Amino acid sequence: MKNALHAEWTKLRTIPSNAWLLLAAAALTVVIGATAGAAVKCPTGNCTEDPAKISLTGIYLSQAVVAVVAVMAVSGEYGTGMIRLTLAAMPHRLTVLAAKAAIVTGPVLATGAVAVLGSLLAGRLILPGNGIGPAHGYPSLSLSDGPVLRAACGSVLYLALIALLSIGVAAAVREAAAAIGVVLGLLYLFPILSAALGNTSASRHIQEIGPMTAGMNIEATVGLSGLPMSPWAGLGVLTAWACGALITGGLVLRLRDA
């Protein structure tokens, strides 16, 4: 396992686009979160806004960048044919997949931590000036506040789970464009279907099973009783999706020729 981890780390860090994409994901999260915070106004202080969720709006888009990085860690080798050399050097295929998952998840966790902290800091500076702050009864965007800490840590875990989901899909599908399409479809199709159905029980069920619609509940710090499910339960749904994708990808990797 040690050799597999070293090999996968070498591959990941020697491709410059990976670092740039992760940097872009962090920047995108902060910029979009700050833009959303600047756009939301509540002069009277009687709105039902969630400061943490507003600040973390950027994750809706940056998760797509994380998905691309994770997919390319697997599909990139199939595209170049390098996967044959990898499997010849390390014939234990599940070990190779586990090493890829571990090596990709590490930088994604670091990127997510930077992005989330930057987003919350931007929200802490911007939102009170728009009437969304402690002076109007809103929770302070501080990690000392339990719900905010949960939203912050959960959002970092959310991005890591998106990476694992993407790795599993890529191992099963292999072709990069198709794998990216499948992952983005899984993430963004459920919210579209839910919105199309309106405020119905079917819409609520879709939100409960969708990887993004369920997982994003972890960001909520107010109005928890109105959510389709609790924040941690929602993240559990995303975890189930990631585990299912990794198991499927592992089986395909083990049973099919490279």
Side-chain angles (χ1 to χ4, degrees):
M1 186 63 177
K2 181 179 178 180
N3 291 335
L5 289 170
H6 183 268
E8 294 304 326
W9 172 242
T10 301
K11 295 174 193 175
L12 187 71
R13 67 181 176 82
T14 53
I15 299 177
S17 61
N18 289 329
W20 286 110
L21 283 171
L22 290 175
L23 181 62
L28 189 65
T29 303
V30 177
V31 170
I32 293 178
T35 302
V40 177
K41 308 288 185 181
C42 186
T44 63
N46 295 322
C47 307
T48 58
E49 303 292 351
D50 187 333
K53 200 169 184 66
I54 293 171
S55 300
L56 297 171
T57 301
I59 289 179
Y60 280 93
L61 291 180
S62 63
Q63 63 181 333
V65 182
V66 169
V68 170
V69 173
V71 164
M72 292 308 299
V74 178
S75 297
E77 289 199 55
Y78 280 100
T80 61
M82 188 178 176
I83 190 67
R84 296 185 181 89
L85 294 176
T86 297
L87 297 180
M90 294 174 287
H92 298 289
R93 298 188 174 197
L94 295 184
T95 300
V96 172
L97 184 61
K100 286 183 179 294
I103 291 302
V104 171
T105 302
V108 169
L109 285 171
T111 299
V114 172
V116 167
L117 290 175
S119 298
L120 292 177
L121 177 60
R124 185 184 176 95
L125 295 174
I126 295 171
L127 289 173
N130 294 340
I132 305 173
H136 291 91
Y138 293 95
S140 174
L141 284 177
S142 170
L143 296 181
S144 61
D145 181 69
V148 174
L149 179 61
R150 184 255 300 149
C153 294
S155 296
V156 175
L157 291 176
Y158 176 90
L159 290 175
L161 289 169
I162 293 298
L164 293 175
L165 170 67
S166 303
I167 288 171
V169 170
V173 177
R174 300 190 174 190
E175 205 278 324
I180 292 171
V182 169
V183 173
L184 296 184
L186 287 174
L187 293 179
Y188 296 109
L189 180 60
F190 286 91
I192 294 172
L193 290 175
S194 177
L197 291 173
N199 189 20
T200 64
S201 60
S203 174
R204 188 179 182 91
H205 289 316
I206 288 175
Q207 293 177 46
E208 291 173 344
I209 64 174
M212 183 173 80
T213 50
M216 282 292 185
N217 286 334
I218 198 66
E219 294 181 354
T221 60
V222 300
L224 300 185
S225 61
L227 296 176
M229 61 176 57
S230 68
W232 286 116
L235 199 66
V237 171
L238 176 57
T239 302
W241 277 94
C243 290
L246 286 171
I247 291 171
T248 302
L251 289 174
V252 172
L253 181 63
R254 186 172 183 179
L255 298 176
R256 286 177 59 186
D257 292 334

